[in-house]
Amino acid sequence: MKYHLFQLKLFFMYSFLGVLLLLISSIGWAQDPNKDINYLEVVNEILRTNLDILSSILNEEMAYHRLQSERHALVPTLSAGGEFFRNSGQTQSSTGQIFRDLNFSRYQPQVSLNFNLNIGEQLYLSRSAWNEYESSRFQISDTRQKILLIVSELYQKLLLSREGIRIAEQLTQNSSQVFNIIRSRTEAGVALTSDMIQIQAKLASNKEQIVKAKNQWVQVSIQLAHLLRWDPNINLIPSEVLIPQPSVYQVLRSLSPEFQVAERPDIKAARWASVAADEQKKATQWDFWGPSLSLRAAYIQLGDKTNNLDSGERYFTALSWDFSWSDWDQIKVQSRKADLARVQLEKLNDQARAEILEATQDIKATLERIPLAKESLTAEEDTLKLIIARYLAGKTLLIDVLLAQDRLAQAQLNAAKTIAAYNLAQMNYLAAVGQLDRTTLFELYQVQYDGVER
């Protein structure tokens, strides 16, 4: 009996522990499916975790080590070694007679400084490596700018999708109010039965719009979370509302177009790359025409030696020229590479000028559209109020009320799209003039995000 009671106690004890562990694990794994974010937090995170930016940083470090390697090639190399020689036998005189037995060992340690280099070629290779290193530094800035532009576009879409949800929910709420009015009028025998059918269909359509708007928000949230390397199952909710950003065009438009183009990081990177290609061409020419200088200073020490003729200090100097068709062809190859780098630079200059003009025109156009969109929105709001009043007075049909609601929702959505387009146009303008970086963004939003770490 006592044994059965003991087993029963163990069963309840283990059951209690299992339930307790299950509750603890469920609490620990419970996770809020939504995450509140703000734009500057996203900027910090993308600059910290993006793999394209990391790759450009690694390329810069690789260019730096290549520069150090080319510089260190101008330093003489230190060589150290030793030789062991064992001789066991007999020596022979000039007449062929055995002179005497010979048995000895020789140890020959030595250390030397060696320098074998085409100095002109190596100097130009070092200069080329330096220019490539400078180019890689600006490539980092260019990569950051491109990533910031992508994340800014996604964030504006995220704000717009949240605004779309709000507009769809407001439209559904307005339709619900009309539904309540029609139901009351139907019960009083004033409204038509067809009105009730129409408003029910309209409510269903509005709820479908909410589902579509939420799906669009989730899709954009997944794209942004993927770019930030966050869990895509978490829905990102921006803490801001969709409002026009402070104008940057008024500040930067006073700069000359030539200065705006020259300040772009991709232009600077291409300019340094073009100079590096010219230096590489000159290095190839020196490799063909220039002499190679060889210097050697050595100290040799012998041990257990029969004589000291091989010990002491040694010095060696030589100049040599090597000519080959392969080196001549390499001059032509490097010349074409230098020409190609100059063409690429000119191509980027033309592209930059066009992008600046397009971004400037885009800002002007969207800035003009904002007040027009607001006027349209105000007009649709007044029109809806008027039509509802006419419907309640029996002077118009329900279909006019529903169409006015749709026009108001469309006007609200157009106003939101215009603001998002203006904000994105400003980001494109900053990128076009080479000013889209973390410092500029934080200065742009310093009033709105005073609590974010800078």
Side-chain angles (χ1 to χ4, degrees):
M1 183 67 178
K2 291 182 179 180
Y3 177 72
H4 290 295
L5 288 175
F6 177 72
Q7 285 185 323
L8 189 61
K9 289 180 180 179
L10 284 178
F11 172 77
F12 282 114
M13 183 178 67
Y14 283 119
S15 299
F16 175 75
L17 289 175
V19 173
L20 183 62
L21 290 174
L22 181 62
L23 289 174
I24 292 175
S25 62
S26 63
I27 293 174
W29 285 100
Q31 186 177 6
D32 187 2
N34 299 328
K35 177 180 176 63
D36 295 328
I37 60 173
N38 62 62
Y39 179 64
L40 295 186
E41 177 188 358
V42 169
V43 168
N44 278 332
E45 188 67 16
I46 196 66
L47 293 178
R48 186 181 66 87
T49 62
N50 185 261
L51 295 181
D52 290 331
I53 296 176
L54 178 60
S55 297
S56 63
I57 293 174
L58 293 176
N59 284 331
E60 184 261 349
E61 293 179 356
M62 183 171 61
Y64 174 77
H65 291 301
R66 178 178 177 270
L67 170 62
Q68 295 299 99
S69 175
E70 296 294 348
R71 285 176 171 176
H72 293 158
L74 294 168
V75 179
T77 59
L78 176 66
S79 300
E83 178 184 346
F84 172 75
F85 179 79
R86 172 71 177 172
N87 188 9
S88 179
Q90 296 175 326
T91 59
Q92 189 176 17
S93 66
S94 58
T95 60
Q97 292 181 318
I98 299 300
F99 181 66
R100 64 185 175 89
D101 293 334
L102 187 64
N103 186 9
F104 72 93
S105 300
R106 185 174 67 181
Y107 305 92
Q108 191 178 37
Q110 61 176 311
V111 61
S112 64
L113 286 176
N114 303 283
F115 187 83
N116 187 4
L117 198 65
N118 186 321
I119 298 179
E121 176 193 12
Q122 193 59 46
L123 287 175
Y124 279 112
L125 286 176
S126 299
R127 293 175 60 176
S128 176
W130 166 259
N131 291 314
E132 288 180 355
Y133 169 65
E134 290 295 324
S135 176
S136 67
R137 291 175 56 200
F138 288 107
Q139 286 173 1
I140 295 177
S141 300
D142 183 51
T143 303
R144 285 174 176 162
Q145 183 168 269
K146 291 177 180 177
I147 295 300
L148 285 176
L149 186 59
I150 294 174
V151 79
S152 298
E153 181 179 359
L154 283 176
Y155 200 82
Q156 289 300 316
K157 289 183 178 180
L158 190 69
L159 290 172
L160 185 59
S161 64
R162 294 296 297 177
E163 185 68 14
I165 294 175
R166 187 194 67 79
I167 293 172
E169 290 176 344
Q170 182 179 353
L171 180 60
T172 302
Q173 183 180 359
N174 294 338
S175 298
S176 298
Q177 294 175 355
V178 175
F179 174 80
N180 293 332
I181 294 174
I182 293 176
R183 183 172 60 184
S184 300
R185 290 168 63 87
T186 301
E187 292 174 354
V190 179
L192 299 175
T193 305
S194 59
D195 290 350
M196 179 60 71
I197 297 174
Q198 289 181 10
I199 193 60
Q200 288 176 342
K202 179 60 177 172
L203 272 174
S205 176
N206 291 344
K207 291 177 181 179
E208 183 181 0
Q209 291 299 322
I210 293 177
V211 174
K212 291 181 179 180
K214 288 184 177 180
N215 178 64
Q216 186 176 5
W217 162 56
V218 172
Q219 293 293 335
V220 177
S221 175
I222 292 173
Q223 295 177 28
L224 184 57
H226 174 71
L227 188 63
L228 295 170
R229 304 182 69 194
W230 287 349
D231 184 2
N233 295 313
I234 298 178
N235 299 322
L236 304 180
I237 302 177
S239 59
E240 307 92 338
V241 294
L242 191 59
I243 59 175
Q245 298 168 350
S247 177
V248 297
Y249 171 68
Q250 302 298 332
V251 178
L252 298 176
R253 69 174 182 175
S254 60
L255 302 176
S256 65
E258 292 78 12
F259 180 81
Q260 292 175 341
V261 171
E263 286 301 302
R264 286 174 53 127
D266 57 342
I267 296 296
K268 291 181 178 180
R271 187 182 302 119
W272 284 106
S274 178
V275 177
D278 285 333
E279 301 291 348
Q280 186 73 34
K281 180 184 70 173
K282 294 175 182 178
T284 308
Q285 292 172 344
W286 266 92
D287 181 39
F288 183 81
W289 296 107
S292 295
L293 175 64
S294 298
L295 300 175
R296 184 172 184 268
Y299 179 78
I300 302 174
Q301 178 66 43
L302 299 179
D304 287 344
K305 53 186 180 297
T306 58
N307 59 69
N308 62 355
L309 295 178
D310 292 332
S311 65
E313 299 176 354
R314 302 286 181 83
Y315 301 97
F316 172 80
T317 304
L319 281 177
S320 62
W321 282 263
D322 297 321
F323 300 98
S324 71
W325 283 114
S326 176
D327 292 340
W328 178 255
D329 292 333
Q330 282 298 317
I331 294 177
K332 298 179 180 179
V333 171
Q334 293 301 328
S335 297
R336 298 292 79 79
K337 287 184 177 180
D339 295 339
L340 184 61
R342 283 193 293 270
V343 170
Q344 183 67 21
L345 177 59
E346 287 299 320
K347 180 180 177 181
L348 284 176
N349 276 314
D350 295 341
Q351 179 182 342
R353 296 187 188 97
E355 288 178 355
I356 291 175
L357 292 176
E358 291 175 3
T360 301
Q361 180 59 35
D362 202 13
I363 284 183
K364 292 179 179 178
T366 53
L367 192 59
E368 292 176 0
R369 286 170 52 196
I370 290 178
L372 297 177
K374 290 182 178 179
E375 290 178 7
S376 177
L377 177 59
T378 302
E380 293 297 341
E381 289 174 347
D382 295 339
T383 301
L384 179 59
K385 293 177 183 178
L386 179 61
I387 291 179
I388 290 177
R390 287 175 57 82
Y391 174 75
L392 294 177
K395 297 181 180 181
T396 189
L397 300 175
L398 175 63
I399 187 64
D400 296 325
V401 177
L402 300 181
L403 291 176
Q405 285 183 341
D406 289 340
R407 288 196 299 271
L408 175 59
Q410 187 61 44
Q412 291 173 332
L413 189 58
N414 287 338
K417 287 182 178 179
T418 302
I419 293 175
Y422 170 72
N423 293 340
L424 187 56
Q426 292 216 101
M427 294 298 172
N428 282 321
Y429 180 77
L430 285 173
V433 298
Q435 299 297 321
L436 184 58
D437 53 29
R438 183 180 182 274
T439 301
T440 303
L441 292 176
F442 272 67
E443 290 177 354
L444 190 62
Y445 289 92
Q446 62 182 350
V447 177
Q448 190 173 1
Y449 302 103
D450 190 52
V452 179
E453 180 183 357
R454 291 176 175 80

